[in-house]
């Protein structure tokens, strides 16, 4: 009976450790990475949506690579773009972009490493097709 109890306690400890590992708080890097992917996906959906205003077609391209130093300028330009204020989806996307910019320059400034400063890569990036859920 005692070996069974030890095995059960070991199993409980192992499962508890796995649960804690899965619920660990996100790092600055993981938060920036997930938010940039979320913004890029939202932008792609916005570009393909039939229900949005024609001004959306004129928006600056929004491909984000958080390892490219030029992403900071890209975010600033997108947030400052003067058109489409009346389109709710664009306003929400601009707010997310503003949040990402703030996180990158304030909270995560020391945690991020930029591997390139190739601004053209952010302009000419080929966006992968939207995955259907």
């Amino acid at each position: 009976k005692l070996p069974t109890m030890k095995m059960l306690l070991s199993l409980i400890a192992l499962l508890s450790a796995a649960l804690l590992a899965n619920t660990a708080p996100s790092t600055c890097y993981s938060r920036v990475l997930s938010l940039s992917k979320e913004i890029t996906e939202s932008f792609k959906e916005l570009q393909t949506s039939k229900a949005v205003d024609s001004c959306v077609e004129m928006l600056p391209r929004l491909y984000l690579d958080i390892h490219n130093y030029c992403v900071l300028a890209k975010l600033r330009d997108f947030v400052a773009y003067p058109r489409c204020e009346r389109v709710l989806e664009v306003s929400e996307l601009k707010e997310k972009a503003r949040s990402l910019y703030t996180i990158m320059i304030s909270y995560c400034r020391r945690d991020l490493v930029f591997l390139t400063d190739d601004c053209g890569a952010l302009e000419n990036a080929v966006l992968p097709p939207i995955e259907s859920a």
Side-chain angles (χ1 to χ4, degrees):
K1 188 174 182 181
L2 190 58
T4 306
M5 185 62 91
K6 277 187 170 180
M7 246 178 19
L8 183 59
L9 288 175
S10 296
L11 182 61
I12 290 172
L14 183 64
L15 291 174
S16 297
L19 184 61
L20 286 175
N22 288 338
T23 60
S26 63
T27 63
C28 253
Y29 177 76
S30 65
R31 177 65 184 134
V32 166
L33 188 61
S34 68
L35 186 54
S36 69
K37 286 180 180 179
E38 181 182 329
I39 291 169
T40 301
E41 289 298 315
S42 294
F43 180 74
K44 287 191 297 186
E45 290 171 9
L46 185 62
Q47 291 290 89
T48 59
S49 173
K50 308 242 187 294
V52 295
D53 196 275
S54 62
C55 74
V56 171
E57 296 172 6
M58 306 306 285
L59 284 171
R61 289 193 64 175
L62 193 60
Y63 169 74
L64 303 178
D65 175 2
I66 62 163
H67 302 103
N68 187 334
Y69 184 73
C70 293
V71 74
L72 296 172
K74 176 62 96 174
L75 288 166
R76 276 192 313 267
D77 291 347
F78 186 80
V79 169
Y81 189 72
R83 302 172 98 188
C84 298
E85 284 107 10
R86 69 184 194 287
V87 178
L88 179 64
E89 293 90 345
V90 174
S91 295
E92 290 172 350
L93 193 55
K94 283 184 176 185
E95 192 55 41
K96 284 182 186 178
R98 184 178 291 110
S99 294
L100 178 59
Y101 180 81
T102 302
I103 291 169
M104 289 181 77
I105 65 164
S106 298
Y107 305 110
C108 298
R109 183 171 35 99
R110 294 185 186 130
D111 295 343
L112 299 178
V113 175
F114 297 108
L115 304 175
T116 183
D117 62 352
D118 181 3
C119 297
L122 296 179
E123 294 301 320
N124 302 315
V126 177
L127 296 176
I130 300 172
E131 297 176 18
S132 55

